[in-house]
Amino acid sequence: MNNKTLNLLLSLIFFLLISCSSDHSTNDNRIVIGISSDVQSFNSLFAFSYEETVIADLLYPGLSDFQWNADRGELETHPMIAKSWQWSVDSSSIKFILRDDVKWSDGKKLTSEDIVFSYDIYSDPNVQSRFMGTFDQFFLEEDGHIDVQKSFKIISEYELEFLFPLGSTPDLFEIVVPIIPKHIFENIGRDEIGTHESSFNPVSCGAFKLKDWERNQTIKLEADSNSFLFQQGQISELVFKIIPDYTSRILQLKKGDIDLAEQIKVEDIPGLSVLENLSVKNIVGREYDYIGWNNIDVNKFEKGMLKPNKLFGSRNIRKALSMAVNRKEILDEYLLGQGMLAATPVSPIFKSSFNADVKPYDYNPEEAKRLLAAEGWKDGNKNGILEKGNTEFKFTLYYPVGNPLREYAAVIIKNNLKAVGIELTTEKMELGAFIDNLYEKKLDAWIAGFGVPIPLDLKPYWYSDPNTGFLNFSSYNNDEVDNILDQLETDITDEIKNEKFKKFQEIIHYDEPVTFLYWTPNIIVYNKKITNLKITPYGVLVHCWEWKIN
């Protein structure tokens, strides 16, 4: 899983809350952050959940820093542990110059040895880290472990070079990982690190270090005055409080016991926005919902054959279905207009890559009926359901339990499709079974969502080869799209790359492999006492050590 894939899995949600009010009142330079569930480890190797990733990234910075440039709609790189770097002319190597003032929280200095060790251990199959399998740009051994001798050249304590095989096209977004301390982990069996005490009592080098962890209650990080990121006047303590119940979080926000929370429901905005101490921020553009249409016949696929789906195999049928669904009604009625209609899987936040000429299909049931009729679907027996030969246009639409928006949308979709002569039944499915069925391609139609990775990476979702397009649940197959996705991984200029992205959107819109519904909002509420807060699509806690308290 690489940074980008992590981000997609990362489509996962967290909440920030304050510690108990009596504790809160004792420290005016503290921000209490709430999360919906506890972490399993502080070790960056095993930070699989969103909550773990957020905290681990605060404890373990990487060689470079990434910040969201809202004007260009893309990430930009800045120095972090490395104060500078230089690519070779042919991008076959990169030389890093490290800061000489980066110390681990136990006082030891971070050196080039820590850098090499981190890549060694992240790629070790015995460790099964979160980045395992994402080091294709390096020299690899047969099991995917980075060949350390071929891939790194230590020049001095604070200078080293990364070497890449001929033909690779590495960039910083792909190769930068959080750095972990060699002196802590080098003598621990690699298959034992996950359960070793060092994974729960981290020796870190970020702006904060672990102060206290009360399982399923609070995680307290305190400012590390020895960190190279430490700034005078920064908040002294971050408290992550675990409160799984959404209603409890809202109540604590209103009471002032919680300083910041994400994924607030739109219906709670009016009650929160009227409170003088709170600010409401809505970020649209990282997650979208869609109706999945399996482009292949699921029964034939089970028998090892690839045949078009008898209902959804035609792009014109899929377009008709998109035109038949009143997506704006769902947006206005359930999301109170807080989201944005989607036309493709490329979000408008990616300003340089986004194709503004590609518009969402309008709600147009009459045009949907015309397209369906043109494809041979007609209600010959006048029973209200279209048929083609001996096949009636009826199917089951699945969606996972526990998502009220998708449950609401399923009702609207059912009514909309009935109006054009299509009968569907809706069925909830337990999340684990739902995901398993998607991977096994057992579903004809479903409602689900994806989180868009930053930097933008489309290949896992739309590439026809299932080994590469492992999230291409619809089995979409277009050679031109495959070719574009391949070219995006080659050494082409940003200008050409953006044109490729725009062409991709045109093709996807033409093929309409799924019905893109809407970009769902991530509503964040925070206490106005927090200043210098930069909420971007890349994250809320990014650079939180720069926060101040007014």
Side-chain angles (χ1 to χ4, degrees):
M1 184 185 306
N2 59 22
N3 283 326
K4 295 178 288 187
T5 305
L6 179 65
N7 274 328
L8 82 84
L9 292 175
L10 323 169
S11 36
L12 309 174
I13 311 296
F14 86 114
F15 305 90
L16 308 179
L17 25 142
I18 197 169
S19 62
C20 59
S21 55
S22 59
D23 194 23
H24 183 243
S25 64
T26 63
N27 189 339
D28 291 336
N29 200 23
R30 168 189 299 175
I31 299 297
V32 180
I33 299 171
I35 53 179
S36 58
S37 61
D38 203 355
V39 301
Q40 300 301 310
S41 170
F42 294 104
N43 193 328
S44 182
L45 291 166
F46 310 111
F48 292 103
S49 74
Y50 185 75
E51 293 86 354
E52 290 169 332
T53 304
V54 166
I55 295 172
D57 286 352
L58 288 175
L59 298 173
Y60 302 101
L63 283 167
S64 61
D65 180 35
F66 302 109
Q67 297 179 33
W68 183 253
N69 184 315
D71 292 332
R72 296 202 304 270
E74 61 188 29
L75 285 180
E76 56 187 26
T77 56
H78 297 270
M80 182 59 87
I81 290 174
K83 61 182 181 182
S84 65
W85 50 84
Q86 180 67 51
W87 287 96
S88 62
V89 175
D90 61 357
S91 297
S92 64
S93 67
I94 181 172
K95 181 180 178 181
F96 289 101
I97 308 297
L98 309 184
R99 298 176 63 116
D100 62 4
D101 59 349
V102 182
K103 292 182 179 178
W104 296 105
S105 54
D106 62 2
K108 291 186 178 297
K109 281 199 167 185
L110 186 152
T111 71
S112 298
E113 293 284 350
D114 293 298
I115 308 299
V116 175
F117 176 79
S118 295
Y119 285 83
D120 176 10
I121 198 167
Y122 273 113
S123 64
D124 189 335
N126 293 314
V127 175
Q128 289 295 307
S129 82
R130 59 167 158 152
F131 294 125
M132 183 65 200
T134 67
F135 299 99
D136 293 345
Q137 304 293 345
F138 291 83
F139 290 99
L140 299 178
E141 298 169 353
E142 288 186 358
D143 59 2
H145 193 175
I146 290 178
D147 187 325
V148 174
Q149 298 301 318
K150 291 182 179 178
S151 296
F152 303 102
K153 179 182 177 183
I154 292 180
I155 302 169
S156 70
E157 277 190 305
Y158 303 113
E159 291 178 88
L160 78 163
E161 195 170 7
F162 286 20
L163 309 171
F164 305 102
L166 188 65
S168 56
T169 56
D171 62 46
L172 283 178
F173 299 118
E174 291 181 308
I175 64 174
V176 168
V177 298
I179 303 304
I180 58 176
K182 177 181 178 181
H183 67 283
I184 295 298
F185 295 108
E186 64 179 337
N187 294 321
I188 303 172
R190 298 222 168 167
D191 56 352
E192 300 173 357
I193 291 176
T195 56
H196 194 274
E197 183 186 357
S198 299
S199 291
F200 308 103
N201 294 290
V203 172
S204 55
C205 66
F208 296 92
K209 60 183 179 181
L210 181 66
K211 178 181 181 182
D212 180 64
W213 180 26
E214 189 175 355
R215 290 179 186 261
N216 297 315
Q217 297 295 322
T218 56
I219 299 165
K220 295 181 180 178
L221 305 184
E222 64 178 347
D224 185 350
S225 60
N226 290 319
S227 170
F228 70 105
L229 293 171
F230 179 78
Q231 300 178 8
Q232 290 294 335
Q234 75 175 61
I235 53 176
S236 60
E237 193 169 275
L238 284 176
V239 179
F240 293 82
K241 186 176 180 183
I242 299 100
I243 300 183
D245 180 66
Y246 173 81
T247 302
S248 296
R249 290 194 294 275
I250 295 301
L251 288 174
Q252 292 200 39
L253 270 173
K254 289 181 176 179
K255 288 171 57 182
D257 291 339
I258 294 175
D259 292 319
L260 192 153
E262 284 195 77
Q263 293 298 325
I264 302 299
K265 296 178 182 177
V266 291
E267 60 264 34
D268 288 314
I269 293 177
L272 293 167
S273 59
V274 296
L275 299 176
E276 291 185 355
N277 64 317
L278 297 179
S279 287
V280 178
K281 178 98 174 170
N282 181 3
I283 297 181
V284 178
R286 281 297 299 273
E287 294 88 26
Y288 68 89
D289 275 9
Y290 71 97
I291 310 172
W293 312 117
N294 209 325
N295 293 198
I296 62 169
D297 188 308
V298 297
N299 296 318
K300 296 283 181 24
F301 179 77
E302 191 173 7
K303 299 174 182 175
M305 295 181 283
L306 279 178
K307 298 290 183 183
N309 191 295
K310 63 182 179 183
L311 299 180
F312 313 121
S314 160
R315 64 167 64 93
N316 285 333
I317 294 296
R318 299 190 294 266
K319 287 178 186 175
L321 293 168
S322 295
M323 291 178 181
V325 174
N326 193 344
R327 292 166 287 173
K328 190 171 187 308
E329 179 185 356
I330 303 171
L331 264 187
D332 292 343
E333 296 296 325
Y334 193 90
L335 292 175
L336 305 179
Q338 293 291 325
M340 182 187 302
L341 291 180
T344 77
V346 177
S347 166
I349 66 170
F350 300 104
K351 294 181 179 177
S352 301
S353 307
F354 179 67
N355 190 336
D357 293 331
V358 176
K359 307 290 186 185
Y361 287 109
D362 290 331
Y363 173 56
N364 190 338
E366 293 307 315
E367 178 62 11
K369 291 178 183 176
R370 190 194 68 77
L371 286 171
L372 288 163
E375 290 283 321
W377 292 94
K378 298 177 181 177
D379 185 11
N381 58 12
K382 305 301 180 185
N383 68 345
I385 304 173
L386 301 175
E387 65 266 355
K388 186 176 182 180
N390 296 323
T391 302
E392 287 191 315
F393 208 134
K394 50 176 34 175
F395 61 92
T396 299
L397 181 71
Y398 295 90
Y399 57 93
V401 297
N403 189 306
L405 170 59
R406 290 171 195 159
E407 189 168 350
Y408 177 84
V411 175
I412 301 296
I413 294 164
K414 180 176 182 176
N415 292 335
N416 288 161
L417 294 189
K418 183 178 181 181
V420 298
I422 296 173
E423 181 177 288
L424 65 86
T425 55
T426 59
E427 185 170 327
K428 298 179 188 177
M429 187 176 285
E430 188 272 326
L431 181 61
F434 179 76
I435 293 174
D436 288 345
N437 277 282
L438 289 180
Y439 276 109
E440 295 170 11
K441 301 187 185 299
K442 290 184 175 180
L443 305 183
D444 275 317
W446 63 90
I447 306 175
F450 275 131
V452 179
I454 296 177
L456 184 60
D457 182 17
L458 300 165
K459 206 165 191 178
Y461 311 86
W462 305 106
Y463 202 74
S464 62
D465 182 341
N467 293 318
T468 302
F470 56 94
L471 296 171
N472 181 4
F473 300 133
S474 294
S475 297
Y476 175 59
N477 188 337
N478 184 306
D479 290 342
E480 190 174 3
V481 164
D482 284 353
N483 188 37
I484 289 173
L485 296 177
D486 284 335
Q487 291 178 53
L488 286 170
E489 293 185 342
T490 61
D491 189 17
I492 55 179
T493 65
D494 289 343
E495 183 179 358
I496 294 175
K497 190 171 290 188
N498 289 329
E499 289 306 312
K500 299 289 182 187
F501 276 124
K502 291 177 180 178
K503 180 63 177 175
F504 165 87
Q505 291 162 76
E506 290 177 6
I507 299 171
I508 284 287
H509 188 60
Y510 178 71
D511 285 344
E512 193 74 348
V514 303
T515 291
F516 298 96
L517 292 173
Y518 26 67
W519 298 97
T520 54
N522 177 14
I523 299 164
I524 298 129
V525 176
Y526 64 93
N527 195 310
K528 289 179 180 175
K529 72 178 184 181
I530 308 172
T531 61
N532 213 28
L533 180 66
K534 298 172 184 174
I535 297 177
T536 75
Y538 192 52
V540 177
L541 291 183
V542 176
H543 280 226
C544 66
W545 56 86
E546 296 177 345
W547 294 358
K548 307 288 184 185
I549 292 181
N550 188 355

